[in-house]
Amino acid sequence: MERTRAFAAIWCRAVHPAAGTPMTRPEFERYLRPLAARLRDALRAQPFDPRPGAEVGAALVHGHCTDPDALPLILGAVDAYLPLYCPPGAGRTAGEDRARCTRLQHALAAGFARALRERTLAEQEAISRAALAAQAQTEQALHTSEARFRAVFEGAAIGVGIADVDGHITDVNDALVRMFRSLDHPVAGRNVGELVHPQDSPEVWGLYAELVRGDRDHYRVEKPYYRGDGSVLWTDLSVTLLRDAQGRPQYQLALMEDITERRLLHERLRHQATHDDLTGLPNRALFFERLDKALESGGADEDFGLCYLDIDGFKAVNDSLGHGVGDQLLVAVAERLRSCVTGPHELIARLGGDEFVALITGPGAQRDVTALARRMLDALAEPVRLDGRHLSVRASIGIVDGPVGELGAAEVLRSADITMYRAKAAGGNRYEVADADSDARAIARHDLTNCLPGALDNGEFFIEYQPLVRLADGTVRGAEALVRWLHPVHGVLGPDQFIPLAESTGLIVPLGRWVLEEAARQARAWRNDDSCPLPLRVNVNLSPAQLRYPSLVAETVAVLDNAGLEPSALCLEVTESALIGADEEELRPLRQLADLGVDIALDDFGTGYSNLSYLRRLPVSTLKLDRSFTRGMQCAPADPVDVKIVEGIVSLAHTLDLSVTVEGVETGTQADHLRILGCETAQGWYYARPGPPERLHALSLADASS
């Protein structure tokens, strides 16, 4: 309570000298105390509601605080001292209270302006009634009416002026003289037609012409004027036509309210609402406003071009150097991008984070937008110097262009975003131009990504098995479990169509767990089948994301226990690229699984360009040779280069006590070459395509040969 009283006292000291209220300073301070309490309570309220600020603004006007010059002092005291004397409550930060205080100021200003306008309108109505009454009663009580009108005319707080129908200004009151600051350049005696301003709305002078012709009796507009000192006066102008006894236009009565401060406040708040606090560039709201207008109101020959820019690797700057340096970098980037916008039909804005967008409109926009993208990349080519560091800036840009009227703003931004990520995927620091096919593919990927979680819950995934055949005798030794998605719209999808999406969203972990559980149950079923001549082993692919999953070992052991399966019945396949550069901490889960008896296979061997000596560190028991090395053996004679490469890899593997499995075997000739070279097992369409588990135990080399 004491802090609120202290705030009210400071508020009173700041405002009372300019308030124009008849209250003494102690009376005014007592009047402000409940209003200060209202602001305090509104600032702390949950949920926050700025409407009490408007009520406080109206209460100040009702307390005769009506001088427009008082409004900046009222808002300044609230801005400076309300958060200080009413500090944040539990669960809120000072930044949140500052944002609330700004919204309360906005509401207070709106309430003050509304109440002042209502008061002004009441005065205007009284003046108009007095003028009309004076006109109607001229013959009966001319002297009395004139005295009454003159009293209202001279004592009004708003500006009042009288002119004839030719526009000659015959009389103005003191309030209007003060508004125009025109002691040296009097308004009286001038013509209304001289009071033009470049910012006059197009309809102002049309309404004036209708009034002096007698086609209308009244109009009201917001109009700017030049003051005697050259500054701009904004007014709420109401003009009424006064007629003679025969109804002919005789005079025009102008009532003016000074709304300059309110106008400046509105423009200030509008700028804050439409510009980015950090960079000063137009923000998302203003950009979409301009984009909507450009796309909807352009002519038949109007084009547009849009550049969507994202800084490559910006997250690394924030993570390594801190958000302060990141903000400085964004400011520097904004300044450089601002310099790229050279024409009145070009706009650069910050959408948020490290995303910027440039818009260009006009007949040549489709041609000029690529030049704008090149200017933006060139502007960022020079490293940015911050705190003694030179930071290189790379950016990816997606370009969308075309005639206006064909696409909406949301479609344009979506296409630009998709195209920007295509530029990133191509290496970054470049621009790409949108095309419909790329957009369609990206949208399809997005739709699949959205469907993935529900697909797992709805049981839309199933597993096919491709046999692993022993080359020496053609017996089936096991099978690789290959997951498929039975999509309700697109049909059966292969893993290449959804596994990358699952990895990018993190769903690969629960999906991989489900595949492991299903494969383990199937392996147990094969081992319980007396018709199987040999116990079959199942191979399951392990993604890089699963390798980093903390519970990988524990969950794998649990799956084997639940299925009643020995660890030796399971082989986990890991791609070579996933293990390149892995340290001991990253290899520990694989070592633990290998120590338990689970086989580890290095999949797609030969595609990762790893150091062959690195194989000695890996806890693998099998190399799966990529099919690209054996295509030259599909027909006789075999490609001697392929033969030498495979022979060297097999020799190296056997030296390291590793077995070799070959993928993609498609012909008997190929299988014979691989058997002669010493490969242990193979898989491919020569033996069988992936299929249901029921047919696995019936396959053999003799069947394939026949």
Side-chain angles (χ1 to χ4, degrees), residues 30 46 89 91 94 260 297 392 413-414 426 455 497 557 582 673 676 697:
R30 287 194 295 273
Q46 291 289 355
T260 306
S297 61
S392 297
L413 259 292
R414 180 179 66 180
Q497 294 175 277
V557 171
H673 281 301
I676 294 170
H697 65 278

Side-chain angles (χ1 to χ4, degrees), residues 596-607:
L596 291 172
V598 176
D599 281 336
I600 308 296
L602 192 61
D603 197 10
D604 296 334
F605 180 75
T607 61

Side-chain angles (χ1 to χ4, degrees), residues 6 102 180 186 193 304 440 489 560 692:
T102 299
F180 274 80
F304 79 94
V489 175
L560 292 173

Side-chain angles (χ1 to χ4, degrees), residues 99-137:
R100 287 186 172 197
C101 184
T102 299
R103 293 183 61 188
L104 278 176
Q105 291 175 64
H106 192 175
L108 190 154
F112 185 93
R114 190 180 306 112
L116 191 58
R117 177 184 292 249
E118 291 170 357
R119 179 189 179 98
T120 301
L121 288 176
E123 288 186 348
Q124 290 175 350
E125 185 177 358
I127 292 171
S128 296
R129 283 199 303 268
L132 293 173
Q135 181 185 18
Q137 300 173 10

